[in-house]
Amino acid sequence: MLNVMMVAAEAAPLAKSGGLGDMVSAFSSALSLFDIDVSILIPGYDCAFDRVVAPSPIGYLRGLPGGDARLWRAAMPDADVTVLLLEMDHLYAGRGHRLYQDEHGRDYLDNFARFASLSAAAARIATGVRGVKRPRIVHAHDWHAGLTPLLMKLAGASARSLFTIHNLAFQGNYPPGLAPYAGIPSDLLLPAPRDPRSIEFYDTLSFMKAAIVHADGLSTVSERYAREILTPRFGNRMEGVLGAHAHKLTGIVNGIDDALWNPQTDSMIAQPYGADDLTGKHACKKALQQSYGLPVDPFAPLVAIGSRLSTQKLADVVCEALPAALARWPRVQFAVLGQGDAAIEQQLSALAAAWPGRLGVHIGYDETRAHRLHAGADILLHASRFEPCGLTQLYAMRYGTIPVASRVGGLADTIVDCPTLPSDVERQKKGDLDAAGFLFDGESPADIFHALGRALDAYGIPPLWRVIQRNAMRRDSSWSVPAQRYLSLYQTLAGHVRRRESTPVCRSVSQIGRTHAPVQRGRRSA
Ligand code: ADP
Ligand code: GLC
C-alpha cells in the first residue's frame, strides 16, 4: 500500500484560514478511498487538538529549528485519515484560530521557527521515526511546508517529494542569516546564478523557492494557473525559477468535499434542495434575506460576496463598484460575508449603513453562514486579481448560485462562460447551452459592473437562468478525477530512484528521543 504523508499548515476542520485547509482534508479523504495510506502532518494548534479524535502521543522530535517537539497521532473526525500533530506549545498554542498573524494583521515574528519546524519534522519522519510508518511520498503544501523537500534531501531520505503551490503570492522569504537555524548549509544561500541548488531569492532565504528547486515533483491547483505563474503578471517574481523547473510542474484542478457541500443533505441550510427541485432554495433565499436585514422578496436578485477581504479578491475594487451597482439596479440586494483587510472591512460596513435594506454585511469568519450564503443567493460575485483554483465558486455552483468571476486561474478553468444573450436564448431553446456562469476580463469597477449587468440580464429570463443553474449544479466537482491524477503523479514519482545527493547531510537535530506507549487522551496536557 502506498504511504503518503501530507505536510501543511491547515487541514479543515482542524485548522483553516481558506481553501488550503479545505483542499488538504478533502483530497486526503478522497485518497483514502484508493489503496493509499494517508496521513497529514500539521502544527499542534489548540484548535487542532480540540477537534481530532483519539489523540495519542508517539514520541519526541528533539532539536527542531524551534526546539523540541512531541509528536501525536490522532484521527480526522469523519474520515479515514491519520493526523500527525506536532506539539510545540511555544510556537503553536494560545493563538486561537489566528494561524499566521496577530489580531492586528501582523505576521507572527516567530513564523520562521514555526514553519521551519514543521518542515524539519516532516523530513525527520521521512527518514524514519519509531512509531510512524515511513512515507514513500511526502506531499508538502504551500510555503509553510516549503523547506520539506530540501531538508529531506539533506537528511538522505529515500521518500520522494511533491510540492503543491496553492498561492504563489505568499512565499515565506526570510533573512538568509536564519539558514543555520533550519539546518541549511550556507553554500545553498549563495547568489542564485552561481548554484542551481541555491534557495537565495532577492537576498532572502525563500521557503517557496526552496520547494520549487528541490521538490521531485511540482503541482499547482489549476491548469491555467500552472501556465500563468510562468509569466511576470502572475509569477510574483518567481517566474524565472519556475521556468527553470517547468518540466516538473503540473496543474490539477481541485475537487471539493461534495458530501459536506451538498444542498440535498446540508443540515446548516433552511431547507434542502437539488437540481431538479429548487423549492428549498427559495426558503434558503428567504432565510438569507432575513438574516442580513434585507426585505424578503423572492424576485429581487440576491448577490453574494463571500471571501477573504483582500486585494487578491479585488475587494478594494468591488467596494468602488458597489455604489454604482446599487444605484443602477434598485431591486438588487447584496449580502457580504468576509474578513480581512481592516480598511476594506470598514468601507463595507460604511456602505451597509448608507444602503440599508439593500446591502447587508457580516464581518467575520463563519462556516455555517458560508453554507447559508451559497444556498440562499442567486449570484456569487467573485472577483480576483489572481485565483490559483478557487473553491468558493465551486461551492456556489453546487448550490445553484451562479458565479460572476474574473477570467483568471482556476475560475477560468472551472466556469463555463455564458455567451452574449440573444444567441444564448436561441441555443437554450435548442437545449445545448453549457454555460454555468459569467467571466470577465479587467480589474476596474466598470469591468465588475458590466459583468454583473450581464448576469442580471440573464436572471431576467427565467428559462435561461434555470438552464444555467442546472448546468452549474450538475458540474462534477468531486475529487474522483483529480485524485486519480495525483495518484499517477505519486506512482511516477515512487517509481523513480533518487540518485545520491552530493550535498552533505547536515543534521543539527537529533533523532527521535524516546517513545511512549500510546495512551488515549481526550485532550493533551501542557
Ligand atoms: P482562498 O483560499 O484564496 O481564500 P478559496 O475559494 O479557495 O479561496 O477558499 C476559500 C474558503 O474559505 C472557502 O471554503 C470559503 O467558504 C471560506 N471562507 C472565506 N471567507 C470566509 C468567511 N468569512 N467565513 C466563512 N468561510 C469563509
Ligand atoms: C489558495 C488559493 C485558492 C485555492 C486554495 C486551495 O488559498 O488562493 O485559489 O482554491 O488555495 O487550493
Side-chain angles (χ1 to χ4, degrees):
M1 193 187 254
L2 187 63
N3 190 324
V4 178
M5 180 174 74
M6 307 285 166
V7 192
E10 301 185 22
L14 310 180
K16 167 177 170 180
S17 78
L20 170 65
D22 283 357
M23 185 280 186
V24 168
S25 299
F27 169 49
S28 300
S29 166
L31 275 182
S32 71
L33 303 177
F34 294 87
D35 201 17
I36 293 196
D37 194 347
V38 198
S39 58
I40 308 175
L41 174 69
I42 62 162
Y45 313 111
D46 295 329
C47 51
F49 272 107
D50 285 344
R51 292 179 187 161
V52 289
V53 176
S56 64
I58 301 172
Y60 291 89
L61 297 173
R62 300 205 181 275
L64 296 178
D68 295 341
R70 195 179 199 194
L71 191 62
W72 292 70
R73 178 188 288 105
M76 197 57 130
D78 304 325
D80 187 17
V81 174
T82 300
V83 182
L84 297 171
L85 290 160
L86 190 65
E87 181 184 16
M88 300 178 85
D89 279 352
H90 58 294
L91 297 183
Y92 304 131
R95 308 188 193 199
H97 293 270
R98 298 185 180 278
L99 306 184
Y100 313 117
Q101 297 180 329
D102 65 18
E103 64 276 25
H104 306 294
R106 289 178 302 226
D107 287 355
Y108 291 128
L109 292 174
D110 55 359
N111 273 351
F112 177 88
R114 297 173 82 223
F115 297 114
S117 297
L118 178 69
S119 299
R124 194 80 72 78
I125 294 168
T127 58
V129 151
R130 211 178 323 153
V132 184
K133 197 171 159 204
R134 196 185 301 193
R136 182 81 191 97
I137 300 284
V138 175
H139 187 165
H141 298 261
D142 258 1
W143 77 265
H144 325 98
L147 294 182
T148 305
L150 169 61
L151 296 178
M152 282 169 61
K153 276 188 185 175
L154 293 171
S158 61
R160 310 288 294 173
S161 61
L162 176 65
F163 180 74
T164 295
I165 299 168
H166 293 261
N167 194 335
L168 196 59
F170 302 105
Q171 301 180 342
N173 298 334
Y174 290 96
L178 292 175
Y181 297 101
I184 297 171
S186 53
D187 60 315
L188 288 182
L189 270 301
L190 290 175
R194 286 194 222 146
D195 188 341
R197 300 169 313 147
S198 174
I199 63 167
E200 182 270 344
F201 183 66
Y202 294 95
D203 297 325
T204 68
L205 177 170
S206 172
F207 280 52
M208 181 62 83
K209 180 173 175 185
I212 294 168
V213 170
H214 291 281
D216 295 313
L218 275 180
S219 75
T220 187
V221 288
S222 69
E223 286 162 24
R224 183 165 165 138
Y225 192 61
R227 296 191 299 275
E228 287 174 343
I229 53 179
L230 299 174
T231 68
R233 178 174 166 203
F234 295 100
N236 288 92
R237 306 206 293 177
M238 207 54 91
E239 62 275 9
V241 180
L242 278 161
H245 294 272
H247 57 280
K248 58 180 183 186
L249 175 65
T250 318
I252 301 177
V253 173
N254 286 332
I256 61 171
D257 181 337
D258 54 5
L260 181 66
W261 295 92
N262 180 356
Q264 288 177 290
T265 54
D266 193 332
S267 59
M268 291 179 250
I269 64 176
Q271 198 178 309
Y273 61 92
D276 295 323
D277 181 4
L278 289 172
T279 317
K281 189 163 174 70
H282 304 311
C284 294
K285 180 168 178 176
K286 184 176 173 192
L288 187 64
Q289 286 169 325
Q290 284 169 334
S291 73
Y292 272 84
L294 301 168
V296 172
D297 176 352
F299 301 108
L302 178 44
V303 181
I305 298 171
S307 74
R308 289 185 285 118
L309 299 176
S310 67
T311 52
Q312 176 190 340
K313 306 293 178 186
L314 279 169
D316 47 335
V317 184
V318 168
C319 286
E320 285 181 56
L322 277 172
L326 285 155
R328 167 70 182 79
W329 297 293
R331 202 157 183 201
V332 176
Q333 303 175 339
F334 290 87
V336 182
L337 170 63
Q339 191 177 38
D341 191 321
I344 300 175
E345 289 180 358
Q346 280 160 17
Q347 249 180 300
L348 282 166
S349 302
L351 278 170
W355 294 88
R358 300 287 314 286
L359 169 65
V361 171
H362 180 86
I363 302 295
Y365 193 94
D366 186 333
E367 286 283 330
T368 305
R369 226 177 240 274
H371 283 248
R372 293 178 181 161
L373 189 78
H374 293 309
D378 298 302
I379 293 170
L380 174 83
L381 179 56
H382 193 316
S384 284
R385 284 197 163 83
F386 64 92
E387 195 61 61
C389 178
L391 300 177
T392 311
Q393 81 283 4
L394 300 180
Y395 300 147
M397 284 194 278
R398 195 147 158 78
Y399 283 72
T401 296
I402 303 308
V404 174
S406 306
R407 197 190 313 274
V408 292
L411 297 172
D413 277 359
T414 57
I415 298 170
V416 179
D417 189 19
C418 188
T420 47
L421 274 184
S423 67
D424 279 352
V425 178
E426 288 311 306
R427 292 172 67 194
Q428 179 260 321
K429 278 188 200 144
K430 284 191 266 144
D432 64 353
L433 183 78
D434 57 359
F438 297 82
L439 291 172
F440 64 91
D441 296 300
E443 298 177 351
S444 73
D447 297 319
I448 293 172
F449 179 88
H450 178 69
L452 203 49
R454 283 172 57 213
L456 291 169
D457 286 347
Y459 181 82
I461 307 170
L464 170 64
W465 194 254
R466 193 70 194 87
V467 171
I468 298 174
Q469 270 185 315
R470 206 165 18 229
N471 291 342
M473 293 181 83
R474 291 196 174 142
R475 178 183 195 276
D476 178 8
S477 295
S478 74
W479 266 104
S480 57
V481 173
Q484 290 272 10
R485 289 197 59 200
Y486 276 108
L487 192 54
S488 31
L489 255 185
Y490 291 160
Q491 281 159 346
T492 310
L493 287 171
H496 290 177
V497 180
R498 186 198 294 285
R499 65 183 167 76
R500 284 216 67 78
E501 294 300 330
S502 51
T503 321
V505 174
C506 166
R507 309 195 69 174
S508 61
V509 288
S510 65
Q511 257 300 352
I512 192 159
R514 60 195 160 103
T515 54
H516 293 261
V519 290
Q520 297 296 320
R521 296 165 66 157
R523 174 82 174 84
R524 77 205 162 119
S525 59

